[in-house]
Amino acid sequence: MDLSYPEKYKAFRQEVIDFLKQNANLAPTADFRLHRPDQKWLDWQALLIEKGYTARTVPKQYGGYGAEPDILAESILTEEFSRAGVSQGLDNQGTSMLVPTLLEVGTEAQRQQWVPGTIRGEIIWAQGYSEPSAGSDLASLKTHARVEDGHFIINGQKIWTSSAQFADMIFILVRTEPDAPKHKGISYLLMPMDLPGIDIRPLVTMTGDATFNEVFLTDVKLPVDQIVGKRGDGWQVANVTLKYERGKLGNPREAQQRFERLVDLMQQETINGTPLMENAVLRDRLLRLQGRILAMTYNGQRVLSSDLKGENPGLAGMLIKLNGTWLNHELAGLAIDVLGELGILYDNSPYENEGDWQRKYMFDLGLMIGGGSTQIQKNIIAERALGMPKEPKYAPGDFPIGGGN
Amino acid sequence: MDFGLSDEQKQLIESLRRFISQQAPLDTVREVAKTNQGYDPDIHQGLVDLGIYSILVPEEYGGAGLTFLDAAVVQETLAGGVIPSTYLGTSIIAPTLFQVAGNDAQKAEWLPKISAGECRIGVGISELCGARAGAKLTLNAGKLQGKVLSVIDAMAADTYLVAVGRDTLALVDAKSPGLKVTQMTGIDRTRSLGELTFNDVACELMGEPAAASAALEQALIAGRIALAADTLGAAQEMLRRTLEYAQQREQFNRPIASFQSLKHLCADMAANLEPCRSLVWYAAHTFDQRPEEAALMACHAKAHLAEVGTMVARTSTEVFGGMGFTDLMGLHYWFKRIGFNRQVLGGPEHVRDEAAILQGWVPENHAKGVAAYASY
């Protein structure tokens, strides 16, 4: 067990702390999930790229900072920005998923065309994966394309499409090889959102926000060269992207921050003039959550050490999304219980707490379901980490008891 | 930066596991458990030969002078084999008490004996977490009067270290006139608890009040981290056995491990238990490397492992089905070990309450009330 950081990282941490002290006032707070980034966002993004605090490993020729991958430096950046409560740059579908994918499997022309504008926040991307009948079983997706005169003619429907209402582009999975097995018939296409035949309908969620959309595609014409990888390679290309998504959800730093706000709330919020922190039952719930956060925090350090050594963290990595999203949901749940009747207030009601806990509580359910649902996570852990066999696939008539009709 | 166990620690675990599978498998443990002593001379000698009793004894007293994490890893591994031994009292709590409160002569006499496995020390500090059933010990003119309960490793001990209130620590020979040792038969027969009643019993005091008080605080921290490590080892072994059984047991022409309902139970256990490894390792690391964090980390490790351990104990038994409920599989030995660890030196609600006090989150009168448990 060696928890010390080498000297050069101590200096780097100090540099980041100093930067945050001087510049935190420039950081934007508007939600980039609901609107296009405004000028304040674009300026902040440009400053962070210049310092190497975001798009850090994106090569210089594509507009990034061009640093070598450095896990400790990345970890220090995330820690310090998170501690300061300041955004570490745009973390949207384009920067977090498309850019790494193009850098790994895109062509030189695609990288030059798309990466610089995407990391600057000027090109906004949507992700076109899920469909009404292809969720956990994504590879069964039905949106399809035929080829005519050098174009894909695309028809179908996507759902859960974040940012589609203001996105410029979409990276989209489309079945282009109808006769191939389901994993081998998909292509990964790059498509402008303003093409004729694209109909975007906001999908209002239980939070009342339209963070998602349904996207209907009717005879949409896209040149056949707007593809990443070869025709039929879309599943592999998508898995490059999903790999980048999986590591992000459930990060214990989010839980730590939320926990600190919850402690403040319990110390400040009173009932009959007494702080809620003095209620032993609520306090015990708080302490239970703290124990779980600590376990996930040190688990995170263990995963970081595995990454540093180039080892696969295995189970310790696989459980992060499952545990982390549930933990966040429960933190919001306790905050609501602490607030009691005032905890059910919403949409800027008088007396509503500024923590926006109900929205978090509900939005967390979406995070537990999206990006590989809780049940899919458990299957992955059982099969890949614990070596338990897959459920056999039954044909009609196989059921030993009662079934078969 | 390397968060995790060193190669030496991994080798230590391997050699202990080899010893357990060859010299102290479950069938042997079953026989020892019948004696209700929580101790077996052959197993003890084997552990002495492996050198684990010397881990927390400084080199100048003939020990190995290793870290607390090494000792915690040993405790975790011993629990994996539900090994009856006096490791917790004699090799984790006692060296801590001697080092903080012992004078030079006491250290010179006892630390080498601990290191060589030549003494077995029962530890009576349960009342630091609140006195039950009228337990109370007083010191009058150098003699001990009263009783203490739930003394760790009581039945196998030849010496006792007992807390008298929060700032006095007494060393007592098990054969002292006026001392009566009564078995407190518990669910976990691999370790023993006992009641000590004192009727004008001579003792040797350790340390001035300030040193004794500091030693008792350290002992509580050490004991809690060790018990958390013990639950970690026991729960991991229960999960391992459960996965093995679920792969072998077939119903409806397929291993029960292929049923999604059981896969999700096992995934829940694994997802909750795996981060506990990091939590326990870190808590053990703080004990001697980041002492300012140790009291809080010990509370959290103890409480969190109590919760996760209980969940794993219950769920494993459920996955085993009827066989988990029987004595045949022996799964209950780990179940009971986890049940023991949950209560000893503070149940989860109690230690979380202490954690809240440490962070200044409780009103002053409540904090005083909890502290007053100890000044019974």
Side-chain angles (χ1 to χ4, degrees):
Chain A
M1 185 77 81
D2 170 13
L3 303 183
S4 62
Y5 280 64
E7 273 313 312
K8 71 167 177 169
Y9 291 104
K10 288 181 192 158
F12 179 66
R13 187 186 291 277
Q14 194 53 51
E15 175 203 307
V16 176
I17 291 171
D18 292 345
F19 169 84
L20 285 166
K21 250 184 222 151
Q22 285 157 22
N23 298 287
N25 61 322
L26 301 176
T29 50
D31 190 344
F32 59 78
R33 287 174 189 86
L34 293 173
H35 310 281
R36 275 193 87 88
D38 55 13
Q39 193 58 44
K40 191 167 186 186
W41 258 114
L42 298 182
D43 292 345
W44 181 246
Q45 188 73 3
L47 177 63
L48 294 188
I49 294 174
E50 183 197 320
K51 300 292 294 179
Y53 297 161
T54 198
R56 182 176 172 78
T57 56
V58 175
K60 278 215 164 79
Q61 69 262 38
Y62 309 125
Y65 181 73
E68 286 297 307
D70 183 335
I71 291 159
L72 275 186
E74 300 283 350
S75 151
I76 287 169
L77 281 168
T78 317
E79 263 175 44
E80 294 305 330
F81 274 77
S82 165
R83 209 190 311 273
V86 169
S87 165
Q88 201 193 332
L90 285 171
D91 181 15
N92 58 25
Q93 316 267 12
T95 59
S96 69
M97 299 174 76
L98 179 81
V99 167
T101 303
L102 287 183
L103 291 176
E104 201 163 316
V105 294
T107 64
E108 181 56 29
Q110 285 168 337
R111 292 176 194 167
Q112 287 181 7
Q113 186 177 3
W114 301 119
V115 175
T118 302
I119 62 174
R120 285 198 301 267
E122 291 158 5
I123 304 172
I124 301 300
W125 291 82
Q127 177 208 55
Y129 284 11
S130 296
E131 298 182 4
S133 60
S136 296
D137 182 12
L138 181 60
S140 69
L141 61 89
K142 293 190 178 68
T143 294
H144 58 277
R146 61 177 195 276
V147 177
E148 277 180 24
D149 301 334
H151 285 78
F152 289 117
I153 310 296
I154 304 165
N155 282 280
Q157 182 192 351
K158 295 290 173 178
I159 195 169
W160 315 122
T161 320
S162 314
S163 317
Q165 69 272 39
F166 54 82
D168 306 291
M169 295 288 297
I170 184 168
F171 50 98
I172 185 168
L173 295 178
V174 176
R175 187 163 303 283
T176 56
E177 323 303 313
D179 301 327
K182 70 176 182 179
H183 289 89
K184 300 201 169 146
I186 299 167
S187 296
Y188 186 108
L189 309 180
L190 305 177
M191 186 171 82
M193 286 298 282
D194 59 358
L195 294 179
I198 300 180
D199 180 19
I200 301 161
R201 298 180 204 165
L203 188 60
V204 178
T205 68
M206 65 190 294
T207 66
D209 299 328
T211 44
F212 299 118
N213 299 274
E214 294 178 285
V215 177
F216 295 85
L217 305 154
T218 311
D219 290 332
V220 180
K221 259 180 95 175
L222 180 73
V224 288
D225 59 356
Q226 295 304 303
I227 184 170
V228 181
K230 294 198 191 72
R231 278 175 61 168
D233 282 353
W235 186 252
Q236 280 76 27
V237 177
N239 270 306
V240 170
T241 313
L242 283 176
K243 179 177 79 187
Y244 289 102
E245 185 180 53
R246 285 236 166 89
K248 299 176 73 70
L249 284 168
N251 189 317
R253 285 192 192 90
E254 163 74 16
Q256 279 165 14
Q257 278 188 320
R258 206 177 272 200
F259 180 80
E260 283 163 24
R261 285 197 290 273
L262 180 52
V263 170
D264 290 343
L265 177 73
M266 288 180 66
Q267 287 175 327
Q268 284 153 19
E269 189 70 19
T270 61
I271 186 162
N272 292 334
T274 304
L276 270 305
M277 187 63 105
E278 298 192 12
N279 179 308
V281 177
L282 293 173
R283 193 171 64 232
D284 190 62
R285 283 176 62 187
L286 178 78
L287 269 290
R288 270 187 94 139
L289 290 167
Q290 190 180 30
R292 287 164 56 187
I293 293 170
L294 287 169
M296 288 307 291
T297 299
Y298 299 114
N299 182 72
Q301 296 215 3
R302 184 171 157 221
V303 170
L304 176 69
S305 290
S306 296
D307 290 345
L308 281 171
K309 286 187 274 192
E311 293 170 2
N312 182 350
L315 177 57
M318 286 181 206
L319 55 79
I320 291 173
K321 199 234 166 199
L322 174 66
N323 289 11
T325 51
W326 176 234
L327 190 49
N328 282 334
H329 179 66
E330 287 200 74
L331 284 161
L334 176 55
I336 290 166
D337 288 349
V338 164
L339 288 160
E341 295 97 327
L342 304 187
I344 58 175
L345 300 178
Y346 204 56
D347 280 343
N348 304 314
S349 162
Y351 299 103
E352 184 188 350
N353 183 268
E354 62 197 10
D356 210 8
W357 297 103
Q358 281 285 3
R359 192 178 309 271
K360 290 190 174 83
Y361 183 75
M362 289 187 265
F363 194 77
D364 288 336
L365 281 177
L367 295 178
M368 284 155 71
I369 296 160
S373 73
T374 288
Q375 280 59 41
I376 291 291
Q377 301 298 327
K378 289 182 187 180
N379 282 350
I380 290 172
I381 289 171
E383 287 163 18
R384 299 191 198 158
L386 306 181
M388 301 176 86
K390 281 184 186 292
E391 288 218 72
K393 292 194 169 58
Y394 284 116
D398 276 353
F399 288 96
I401 298 170
N405 46 350
Chain B
M1 166 74 193
D2 188 4
F3 188 102
L5 301 182
S6 66
D7 290 342
E8 291 78 10
Q9 283 157 344
K10 289 176 189 163
Q11 283 160 17
L12 177 64
I13 293 170
E14 274 320 300
S15 56
L16 256 175
R17 282 194 183 146
R18 226 177 2 257
F19 168 79
I20 290 168
S21 69
Q22 288 165 6
Q23 309 292 322
L26 186 58
D27 286 343
T28 307
V29 170
R30 282 177 184 277
E31 292 307 310
V32 179
K34 286 179 191 160
T35 69
N36 242 344
Q37 299 296 299
Y39 171 78
D40 174 74
D42 294 338
I43 292 176
H44 179 79
Q45 191 52 49
L47 296 177
V48 170
D49 294 344
L50 283 166
I52 63 169
Y53 284 91
S54 68
I55 287 176
L56 291 183
V57 176
E59 285 172 292
E60 56 179 311
Y61 295 105
L66 296 176
T67 66
F68 194 82
L69 178 57
D70 295 285
V73 162
V74 166
Q75 188 74 46
E76 177 187 334
T77 312
L78 290 174
V82 282
I83 296 304
S85 95
T86 55
Y87 198 71
L88 175 63
T90 306
S91 303
I92 290 187
I93 301 179
T96 306
L97 290 170
F98 277 110
Q99 283 191 81
V100 182
N103 61 31
D104 288 348
Q106 286 163 334
K107 286 194 251 188
E109 180 183 355
W110 289 98
L111 288 172
K113 280 201 231 178
I114 290 172
S115 179
E118 286 166 4
C119 61
R120 298 189 297 280
I121 303 175
V123 179
I125 58 172
S126 292
E127 280 75 18
L128 293 177
C129 309
R132 293 178 190 270
K136 188 173 175 69
L137 196 56
T138 53
L139 186 67
N140 298 313
K143 298 286 181 72
L144 292 169
Q145 186 72 34
K147 70 171 180 183
V148 291
L149 294 176
S150 303
V151 173
I152 294 167
D153 298 336
M155 303 319 291
D158 49 34
T159 308
Y160 296 102
L161 280 166
V162 291
V164 188
R166 178 149 263 183
D167 58 5
T168 306
L169 178 58
L171 183 67
V172 185
D173 190 298
K175 295 195 193 73
S176 302
L179 172 63
K180 187 175 156 216
V181 183
T182 311
Q183 173 113 40
M184 292 171 70
T185 306
I187 48 168
D188 179 6
R189 303 294 169 90
T190 67
R191 287 171 299 178
S192 71
L193 289 180
E195 171 191 9
L196 304 188
T197 49
F198 297 84
N199 190 6
D200 260 348
V201 177
C203 67
E204 184 180 334
L205 294 183
M206 293 231 302
E208 295 300 311
S213 166
L216 288 170
E217 251 169 56
Q218 288 297 300
L220 203 50
I221 295 170
R224 285 172 176 170
I225 298 171
L227 286 165
D230 200 275
T231 291
L232 175 64
Q236 288 180 124
E237 179 62 14
M238 281 192 99
L239 177 57
R240 192 192 68 74
R241 283 175 181 253
T242 301
L243 290 169
E244 198 176 78
Y245 180 78
Q247 297 271 17
Q248 288 161 3
R249 166 80 176 167
E250 291 196 0
Q251 287 286 275
F252 304 105
N253 302 315
R254 51 192 262 212
I256 62 170
S258 68
F259 288 97
Q260 200 175 38
S261 57
L262 297 196
K263 286 160 75 172
H264 284 197
L265 288 180
C266 292
D268 279 338
M269 289 194 272
N272 279 290
L273 194 51
E274 190 68 14
C276 289
R277 300 177 73 193
S278 301
L279 179 66
V280 169
W281 295 342
Y282 183 75
H285 179 74
T286 63
F287 185 79
D288 41 15
Q289 308 299 317
R290 295 183 173 184
E292 68 284 0
E293 294 178 37
L296 181 62
M297 290 309 303
C299 287
H300 271 307
K302 177 78 167 62
H304 188 63
L305 267 291
E307 306 295 8
V308 175
T310 300
M311 175 264 194
V312 170
R314 184 196 300 133
T315 310
S316 291
T317 307
E318 197 179 324
V319 173
F320 259 81
M323 292 309 283
F325 185 59
T326 67
D327 176 51
L328 293 168
M329 289 288 157
L331 199 68
H332 63 90
Y333 283 95
W334 288 271
F335 183 101
K336 291 166 181 172
R337 191 121 178 169
I338 290 167
F340 176 106
N341 295 341
R342 183 179 170 101
Q343 306 303 342
V344 173
L345 301 187
E349 288 78 13
H350 175 89
V351 287
R352 281 197 293 268
D353 205 13
E354 283 194 28
I357 293 169
L358 285 166
Q359 294 173 97
W361 290 345
V362 298
E364 208 175 325
N365 57 355
H366 174 74
K368 276 186 189 152
V370 174
Y373 285 167
S375 49
Y376 61 100

